[in-house]
mmCIF file with all atom_site columns, all heavy atoms in Angstrom:
data_model
loop_
_atom_site.group_PDB
_atom_site.id
_atom_site.type_symbol
_atom_site.label_atom_id
_atom_site.label_alt_id
_atom_site.label_comp_id
_atom_site.label_asym_id
_atom_site.label_entity_id
_atom_site.label_seq_id
_atom_site.pdbx_PDB_ins_code
_atom_site.Cartn_x
_atom_site.Cartn_y
_atom_site.Cartn_z
_atom_site.occupancy
_atom_site.B_iso_or_equiv
_atom_site.pdbx_formal_charge
_atom_site.auth_seq_id
_atom_site.auth_comp_id
_atom_site.auth_asym_id
_atom_site.auth_atom_id
_atom_site.pdbx_PDB_model_num
ATOM 1   N N   . THR A 1 52 ? 40.575 25.564 -56.711 1.00 76.00 ? 52 THR A N   1
ATOM 2   C CA  . THR A 1 52 ? 41.709 26.193 -56.084 1.00 76.00 ? 52 THR A CA  1
ATOM 3   C C   . THR A 1 52 ? 42.013 25.495 -54.811 1.00 76.00 ? 52 THR A C   1
ATOM 4   O O   . THR A 1 52 ? 43.171 25.316 -54.460 1.00 76.00 ? 52 THR A O   1
ATOM 5   C CB  . THR A 1 52 ? 41.354 27.627 -55.788 1.00 76.00 ? 52 THR A CB  1
ATOM 6   O OG1 . THR A 1 52 ? 41.145 28.357 -57.023 1.00 76.00 ? 52 THR A OG1 1
ATOM 7   C CG2 . THR A 1 52 ? 42.484 28.380 -55.041 1.00 76.00 ? 52 THR A CG2 1
ATOM 8   N N   . ASP A 1 66 ? 47.922 33.860 -59.369 1.00 74.00 ? 66 ASP A N   1
ATOM 9   C CA  . ASP A 1 66 ? 46.964 32.759 -58.942 1.00 74.00 ? 66 ASP A CA  1
ATOM 10  C C   . ASP A 1 66 ? 46.228 33.107 -57.721 1.00 74.00 ? 66 ASP A C   1
ATOM 11  O O   . ASP A 1 66 ? 44.972 33.004 -57.509 1.00 74.00 ? 66 ASP A O   1
ATOM 12  C CB  . ASP A 1 66 ? 47.619 31.452 -58.825 1.00 74.00 ? 66 ASP A CB  1
ATOM 13  C CG  . ASP A 1 66 ? 48.209 30.851 -60.112 1.00 74.00 ? 66 ASP A CG  1
ATOM 14  O OD1 . ASP A 1 66 ? 47.461 31.082 -61.138 1.00 74.00 ? 66 ASP A OD1 1
ATOM 15  O OD2 . ASP A 1 66 ? 49.264 30.282 -60.147 1.00 74.00 ? 66 ASP A OD2 1
ATOM 16  N N   . LEU A 1 67 ? 47.035 33.657 -56.756 1.00 76.00 ? 67 LEU A N   1
ATOM 17  C CA  . LEU A 1 67 ? 46.517 33.969 -55.385 1.00 76.00 ? 67 LEU A CA  1
ATOM 18  C C   . LEU A 1 67 ? 45.620 35.153 -55.451 1.00 76.00 ? 67 LEU A C   1
ATOM 19  O O   . LEU A 1 67 ? 44.508 35.145 -54.842 1.00 76.00 ? 67 LEU A O   1
ATOM 20  C CB  . LEU A 1 67 ? 47.665 34.248 -54.392 1.00 76.00 ? 67 LEU A CB  1
ATOM 21  C CG  . LEU A 1 67 ? 47.255 34.598 -52.964 1.00 76.00 ? 67 LEU A CG  1
ATOM 22  C CD1 . LEU A 1 67 ? 46.370 33.486 -52.360 1.00 76.00 ? 67 LEU A CD1 1
ATOM 23  C CD2 . LEU A 1 67 ? 48.543 34.844 -52.119 1.00 76.00 ? 67 LEU A CD2 1
ATOM 24  N N   . ASP A 1 68 ? 45.927 36.146 -56.186 1.00 75.00 ? 68 ASP A N   1
ATOM 25  C CA  . ASP A 1 68 ? 45.090 37.324 -56.338 1.00 75.00 ? 68 ASP A CA  1
ATOM 26  C C   . ASP A 1 68 ? 43.738 36.916 -56.990 1.00 75.00 ? 68 ASP A C   1
ATOM 27  O O   . ASP A 1 68 ? 42.697 37.329 -56.518 1.00 75.00 ? 68 ASP A O   1
ATOM 28  C CB  . ASP A 1 68 ? 45.766 38.343 -57.246 1.00 75.00 ? 68 ASP A CB  1
ATOM 29  C CG  . ASP A 1 68 ? 45.053 39.669 -57.237 1.00 75.00 ? 68 ASP A CG  1
ATOM 30  O OD1 . ASP A 1 68 ? 44.053 39.889 -57.941 1.00 75.00 ? 68 ASP A OD1 1
ATOM 31  O OD2 . ASP A 1 68 ? 45.488 40.586 -56.522 1.00 75.00 ? 68 ASP A OD2 1
ATOM 32  N N   . ARG A 1 69 ? 43.780 36.074 -58.002 1.00 75.00 ? 69 ARG A N   1
ATOM 33  C CA  . ARG A 1 69 ? 42.547 35.677 -58.681 1.00 75.00 ? 69 ARG A CA  1
ATOM 34  C C   . ARG A 1 69 ? 41.668 34.845 -57.660 1.00 75.00 ? 69 ARG A C   1
ATOM 35  O O   . ARG A 1 69 ? 40.453 35.055 -57.610 1.00 75.00 ? 69 ARG A O   1
ATOM 36  C CB  . ARG A 1 69 ? 42.842 34.820 -59.899 1.00 75.00 ? 69 ARG A CB  1
ATOM 37  C CG  . ARG A 1 69 ? 41.607 34.173 -60.575 1.00 75.00 ? 69 ARG A CG  1
ATOM 38  C CD  . ARG A 1 69 ? 40.657 35.278 -61.013 1.00 75.00 ? 69 ARG A CD  1
ATOM 39  N NE  . ARG A 1 69 ? 39.407 34.662 -61.412 1.00 75.00 ? 69 ARG A NE  1
ATOM 40  C CZ  . ARG A 1 69 ? 38.355 35.357 -61.824 1.00 75.00 ? 69 ARG A CZ  1
ATOM 41  N NH1 . ARG A 1 69 ? 38.387 36.700 -61.738 1.00 75.00 ? 69 ARG A NH1 1
ATOM 42  N NH2 . ARG A 1 69 ? 37.285 34.755 -62.210 1.00 75.00 ? 69 ARG A NH2 1
ATOM 43  N N   . ALA A 1 70 ? 42.332 33.914 -56.893 1.00 78.00 ? 70 ALA A N   1
ATOM 44  C CA  . ALA A 1 70 ? 41.560 33.150 -55.861 1.00 78.00 ? 70 ALA A CA  1
ATOM 45  C C   . ALA A 1 70 ? 40.939 34.033 -54.883 1.00 78.00 ? 70 ALA A C   1
ATOM 46  O O   . ALA A 1 70 ? 39.749 33.851 -54.519 1.00 78.00 ? 70 ALA A O   1
ATOM 47  C CB  . ALA A 1 70 ? 42.518 32.180 -55.247 1.00 78.00 ? 70 ALA A CB  1
ATOM 48  N N   . LEU A 1 71 ? 41.676 35.046 -54.312 1.00 79.00 ? 71 LEU A N   1
ATOM 49  C CA  . LEU A 1 71 ? 41.067 35.922 -53.352 1.00 79.00 ? 71 LEU A CA  1
ATOM 50  C C   . LEU A 1 71 ? 39.920 36.713 -53.923 1.00 79.00 ? 71 LEU A C   1
ATOM 51  O O   . LEU A 1 71 ? 38.894 36.992 -53.189 1.00 79.00 ? 71 LEU A O   1
ATOM 52  C CB  . LEU A 1 71 ? 42.196 36.875 -52.767 1.00 79.00 ? 71 LEU A CB  1
ATOM 53  C CG  . LEU A 1 71 ? 43.278 36.185 -51.933 1.00 79.00 ? 71 LEU A CG  1
ATOM 54  C CD1 . LEU A 1 71 ? 44.372 37.178 -51.679 1.00 79.00 ? 71 LEU A CD1 1
ATOM 55  C CD2 . LEU A 1 71 ? 42.714 35.785 -50.648 1.00 79.00 ? 71 LEU A CD2 1
ATOM 56  N N   . ASP A 1 72 ? 40.075 37.162 -55.156 1.00 77.00 ? 72 ASP A N   1
ATOM 57  C CA  . ASP A 1 72 ? 38.989 37.905 -55.757 1.00 77.00 ? 72 ASP A CA  1
ATOM 58  C C   . ASP A 1 72 ? 37.749 37.112 -55.947 1.00 77.00 ? 72 ASP A C   1
ATOM 59  O O   . ASP A 1 72 ? 36.668 37.522 -55.595 1.00 77.00 ? 72 ASP A O   1
ATOM 60  C CB  . ASP A 1 72 ? 39.473 38.374 -57.151 1.00 77.00 ? 72 ASP A CB  1
ATOM 61  C CG  . ASP A 1 72 ? 38.454 39.284 -57.810 1.00 77.00 ? 72 ASP A CG  1
ATOM 62  O OD1 . ASP A 1 72 ? 38.302 40.494 -57.337 1.00 77.00 ? 72 ASP A OD1 1
ATOM 63  O OD2 . ASP A 1 72 ? 37.768 38.844 -58.818 1.00 77.00 ? 72 ASP A OD2 1
ATOM 64  N N   . SER A 1 73 ? 37.860 35.841 -56.336 1.00 78.00 ? 73 SER A N   1
ATOM 65  C CA  . SER A 1 73 ? 36.746 34.955 -56.536 1.00 78.00 ? 73 SER A CA  1
ATOM 66  C C   . SER A 1 73 ? 36.102 34.625 -55.153 1.00 78.00 ? 73 SER A C   1
ATOM 67  O O   . SER A 1 73 ? 34.848 34.565 -55.023 1.00 78.00 ? 73 SER A O   1
ATOM 68  C CB  . SER A 1 73 ? 37.179 33.608 -57.179 1.00 78.00 ? 73 SER A CB  1
ATOM 69  O OG  . SER A 1 73 ? 37.648 33.884 -58.446 1.00 78.00 ? 73 SER A OG  1
ATOM 70  N N   . ILE A 1 74 ? 36.920 34.381 -54.182 1.00 80.00 ? 74 ILE A N   1
ATOM 71  C CA  . ILE A 1 74 ? 36.393 34.124 -52.759 1.00 80.00 ? 74 ILE A CA  1
ATOM 72  C C   . ILE A 1 74 ? 35.618 35.345 -52.243 1.00 80.00 ? 74 ILE A C   1
ATOM 73  O O   . ILE A 1 74 ? 34.492 35.226 -51.713 1.00 80.00 ? 74 ILE A O   1
ATOM 74  C CB  . ILE A 1 74 ? 37.545 33.764 -51.878 1.00 80.00 ? 74 ILE A CB  1
ATOM 75  C CG1 . ILE A 1 74 ? 38.144 32.386 -52.278 1.00 80.00 ? 74 ILE A CG1 1
ATOM 76  C CG2 . ILE A 1 74 ? 37.055 33.721 -50.407 1.00 80.00 ? 74 ILE A CG2 1
ATOM 77  C CD1 . ILE A 1 74 ? 39.475 32.080 -51.563 1.00 80.00 ? 74 ILE A CD1 1
ATOM 78  N N   . GLY A 1 75 ? 36.210 36.557 -52.431 1.00 77.00 ? 75 GLY A N   1
ATOM 79  C CA  . GLY A 1 75 ? 35.522 37.763 -52.056 1.00 77.00 ? 75 GLY A CA  1
ATOM 80  C C   . GLY A 1 75 ? 34.099 37.924 -52.677 1.00 77.00 ? 75 GLY A C   1
ATOM 81  O O   . GLY A 1 75 ? 33.173 38.258 -52.090 1.00 77.00 ? 75 GLY A O   1
ATOM 82  N N   . ARG A 1 76 ? 34.092 37.668 -53.942 1.00 77.00 ? 76 ARG A N   1
ATOM 83  C CA  . ARG A 1 76 ? 32.829 37.813 -54.703 1.00 77.00 ? 76 ARG A CA  1
ATOM 84  C C   . ARG A 1 76 ? 31.803 36.868 -54.204 1.00 77.00 ? 76 ARG A C   1
ATOM 85  O O   . ARG A 1 76 ? 30.589 37.211 -54.116 1.00 77.00 ? 76 ARG A O   1
ATOM 86  C CB  . ARG A 1 76 ? 33.126 37.563 -56.192 1.00 77.00 ? 76 ARG A CB  1
ATOM 87  C CG  . ARG A 1 76 ? 33.945 38.693 -56.884 1.00 77.00 ? 76 ARG A CG  1
ATOM 88  C CD  . ARG A 1 76 ? 33.986 38.411 -58.393 1.00 77.00 ? 76 ARG A CD  1
ATOM 89  N NE  . ARG A 1 76 ? 34.812 39.346 -59.078 1.00 77.00 ? 76 ARG A NE  1
ATOM 90  C CZ  . ARG A 1 76 ? 34.789 39.583 -60.323 1.00 77.00 ? 76 ARG A CZ  1
ATOM 91  N NH1 . ARG A 1 76 ? 33.901 38.964 -61.201 1.00 77.00 ? 76 ARG A NH1 1
ATOM 92  N NH2 . ARG A 1 76 ? 35.647 40.483 -60.905 1.00 77.00 ? 76 ARG A NH2 1
ATOM 93  N N   . ARG A 1 89 ? 37.662 40.933 -44.915 1.00 75.00 ? 89 ARG A N   1
ATOM 94  C CA  . ARG A 1 89 ? 38.984 40.386 -44.562 1.00 75.00 ? 89 ARG A CA  1
ATOM 95  C C   . ARG A 1 89 ? 39.796 39.928 -45.789 1.00 75.00 ? 89 ARG A C   1
ATOM 96  O O   . ARG A 1 89 ? 40.928 40.016 -45.904 1.00 75.00 ? 89 ARG A O   1
ATOM 97  C CB  . ARG A 1 89 ? 38.804 39.243 -43.539 1.00 75.00 ? 89 ARG A CB  1
ATOM 98  C CG  . ARG A 1 89 ? 38.396 39.769 -42.168 1.00 75.00 ? 89 ARG A CG  1
ATOM 99  C CD  . ARG A 1 89 ? 38.691 38.745 -41.087 1.00 75.00 ? 89 ARG A CD  1
ATOM 100 N NE  . ARG A 1 89 ? 37.866 37.565 -41.196 1.00 75.00 ? 89 ARG A NE  1
ATOM 101 C CZ  . ARG A 1 89 ? 36.632 37.438 -40.673 1.00 75.00 ? 89 ARG A CZ  1
ATOM 102 N NH1 . ARG A 1 89 ? 36.154 38.382 -39.978 1.00 75.00 ? 89 ARG A NH1 1
ATOM 103 N NH2 . ARG A 1 89 ? 35.935 36.329 -40.790 1.00 75.00 ? 89 ARG A NH2 1
ATOM 104 N N   . VAL A 1 90 ? 38.969 39.314 -46.725 1.00 75.00 ? 90 VAL A N   1
ATOM 105 C CA  . VAL A 1 90 ? 39.610 38.886 -48.009 1.00 75.00 ? 90 VAL A CA  1
ATOM 106 C C   . VAL A 1 90 ? 40.113 40.124 -48.788 1.00 75.00 ? 90 VAL A C   1
ATOM 107 O O   . VAL A 1 90 ? 41.197 40.041 -49.351 1.00 75.00 ? 90 VAL A O   1
ATOM 108 C CB  . VAL A 1 90 ? 38.600 38.048 -48.843 1.00 75.00 ? 90 VAL A CB  1
ATOM 109 C CG1 . VAL A 1 90 ? 39.178 37.743 -50.202 1.00 75.00 ? 90 VAL A CG1 1
ATOM 110 C CG2 . VAL A 1 90 ? 38.268 36.792 -48.167 1.00 75.00 ? 90 VAL A CG2 1
ATOM 111 N N   . HIS A 1 91 ? 39.281 41.116 -48.736 1.00 70.00 ? 91 HIS A N   1
ATOM 112 C CA  . HIS A 1 91 ? 39.665 42.452 -49.478 1.00 70.00 ? 91 HIS A CA  1
ATOM 113 C C   . HIS A 1 91 ? 41.025 42.986 -48.904 1.00 70.00 ? 91 HIS A C   1
ATOM 114 O O   . HIS A 1 91 ? 41.899 43.371 -49.626 1.00 70.00 ? 91 HIS A O   1
ATOM 115 C CB  . HIS A 1 91 ? 38.635 43.404 -49.344 1.00 70.00 ? 91 HIS A CB  1
ATOM 116 C CG  . HIS A 1 91 ? 38.755 44.611 -50.140 1.00 70.00 ? 91 HIS A CG  1
ATOM 117 N ND1 . HIS A 1 91 ? 38.819 44.556 -51.552 1.00 70.00 ? 91 HIS A ND1 1
ATOM 118 C CD2 . HIS A 1 91 ? 38.949 45.952 -49.957 1.00 70.00 ? 91 HIS A CD2 1
ATOM 119 C CE1 . HIS A 1 91 ? 39.011 45.768 -52.052 1.00 70.00 ? 91 HIS A CE1 1
ATOM 120 N NE2 . HIS A 1 91 ? 39.036 46.680 -51.022 1.00 70.00 ? 91 HIS A NE2 1
ATOM 121 N N   . ALA A 1 93 ? 43.294 41.227 -47.418 1.00 72.00 ? 93 ALA A N   1
ATOM 122 C CA  . ALA A 1 93 ? 44.393 40.223 -47.830 1.00 72.00 ? 93 ALA A CA  1
ATOM 123 C C   . ALA A 1 93 ? 44.898 40.634 -49.240 1.00 72.00 ? 93 ALA A C   1
ATOM 124 O O   . ALA A 1 93 ? 46.051 40.486 -49.565 1.00 72.00 ? 93 ALA A O   1
ATOM 125 C CB  . ALA A 1 93 ? 43.891 38.874 -47.759 1.00 72.00 ? 93 ALA A CB  1
ATOM 126 N N   . LYS A 1 94 ? 43.964 40.929 -50.134 1.00 67.00 ? 94 LYS A N   1
ATOM 127 C CA  . LYS A 1 94 ? 44.326 41.332 -51.459 1.00 67.00 ? 94 LYS A CA  1
ATOM 128 C C   . LYS A 1 94 ? 45.171 42.622 -51.462 1.00 67.00 ? 94 LYS A C   1
ATOM 129 O O   . LYS A 1 94 ? 46.177 42.706 -52.221 1.00 67.00 ? 94 LYS A O   1
ATOM 130 C CB  . LYS A 1 94 ? 43.060 41.586 -52.341 1.00 67.00 ? 94 LYS A CB  1
ATOM 131 C CG  . LYS A 1 94 ? 42.358 40.276 -52.708 1.00 67.00 ? 94 LYS A CG  1
ATOM 132 C CD  . LYS A 1 94 ? 41.391 40.519 -53.828 1.00 67.00 ? 94 LYS A CD  1
ATOM 133 C CE  . LYS A 1 94 ? 40.185 41.429 -53.391 1.00 67.00 ? 94 LYS A CE  1
ATOM 134 N NZ  . LYS A 1 94 ? 39.209 41.636 -54.443 1.00 67.00 ? 94 LYS A NZ  1
ATOM 135 N N   . HIS A 1 95 ? 44.843 43.541 -50.575 1.00 65.00 ? 95 HIS A N   1
ATOM 136 C CA  . HIS A 1 95 ? 45.670 44.781 -50.463 1.00 65.00 ? 95 HIS A CA  1
ATOM 137 C C   . HIS A 1 95 ? 47.077 44.391 -50.066 1.00 65.00 ? 95 HIS A C   1
ATOM 138 O O   . HIS A 1 95 ? 48.079 44.956 -50.560 1.00 65.00 ? 95 HIS A O   1
ATOM 139 C CB  . HIS A 1 95 ? 45.062 45.719 -49.453 1.00 65.00 ? 95 HIS A CB  1
ATOM 140 C CG  . HIS A 1 95 ? 43.955 46.459 -50.069 1.00 65.00 ? 95 HIS A CG  1
ATOM 141 N ND1 . HIS A 1 95 ? 43.274 47.432 -49.355 1.00 65.00 ? 95 HIS A ND1 1
ATOM 142 C CD2 . HIS A 1 95 ? 43.280 46.363 -51.268 1.00 65.00 ? 95 HIS A CD2 1
ATOM 143 C CE1 . HIS A 1 95 ? 42.285 47.942 -50.118 1.00 65.00 ? 95 HIS A CE1 1
ATOM 144 N NE2 . HIS A 1 95 ? 42.322 47.367 -51.194 1.00 65.00 ? 95 HIS A NE2 1
ATOM 145 N N   . LEU A 1 97 ? 48.693 41.655 -50.528 1.00 68.00 ? 97 LEU A N   1
ATOM 146 C CA  . LEU A 1 97 ? 49.312 40.910 -51.681 1.00 68.00 ? 97 LEU A CA  1
ATOM 147 C C   . LEU A 1 97 ? 49.794 41.993 -52.679 1.00 68.00 ? 97 LEU A C   1
ATOM 148 O O   . LEU A 1 97 ? 50.939 41.798 -53.144 1.00 68.00 ? 97 LEU A O   1
ATOM 149 C CB  . LEU A 1 97 ? 48.342 40.026 -52.280 1.00 68.00 ? 97 LEU A CB  1
ATOM 150 C CG  . LEU A 1 97 ? 48.851 39.293 -53.582 1.00 68.00 ? 97 LEU A CG  1
ATOM 151 C CD1 . LEU A 1 97 ? 50.045 38.409 -53.315 1.00 68.00 ? 97 LEU A CD1 1
ATOM 152 C CD2 . LEU A 1 97 ? 47.699 38.511 -54.224 1.00 68.00 ? 97 LEU A CD2 1
ATOM 153 N N   . ARG A 1 98 ? 49.034 42.970 -52.942 1.00 62.00 ? 98 ARG A N   1
ATOM 154 C CA  . ARG A 1 98 ? 49.364 44.005 -54.044 1.00 62.00 ? 98 ARG A CA  1
ATOM 155 C C   . ARG A 1 98 ? 50.542 44.823 -53.481 1.00 62.00 ? 98 ARG A C   1
ATOM 156 O O   . ARG A 1 98 ? 51.385 45.170 -54.314 1.00 62.00 ? 98 ARG A O   1
ATOM 157 C CB  . ARG A 1 98 ? 48.231 44.831 -54.393 1.00 62.00 ? 98 ARG A CB  1
ATOM 158 C CG  . ARG A 1 98 ? 47.227 43.950 -55.137 1.00 62.00 ? 98 ARG A CG  1
ATOM 159 C CD  . ARG A 1 98 ? 46.066 44.788 -55.539 1.00 62.00 ? 98 ARG A CD  1
ATOM 160 N NE  . ARG A 1 98 ? 44.982 43.885 -56.030 1.00 62.00 ? 98 ARG A NE  1
ATOM 161 C CZ  . ARG A 1 98 ? 43.786 43.718 -55.430 1.00 62.00 ? 98 ARG A CZ  1
ATOM 162 N NH1 . ARG A 1 98 ? 43.538 44.482 -54.323 1.00 62.00 ? 98 ARG A NH1 1
ATOM 163 N NH2 . ARG A 1 98 ? 42.944 42.904 -55.881 1.00 62.00 ? 98 ARG A NH2 1
#
Side-chain angles (χ1 to χ4, degrees):
T52 299
D66 293 323
L67 179 56
D68 191 280
R69 175 62 189 174
L71 290 172
D72 186 69
S73 297
I74 292 167
R76 291 186 185 197
R89 288 200 293 272
V90 172
H91 191 61
K94 287 195 295 183
H95 281 183
L97 174 64
R98 293 184 191 112

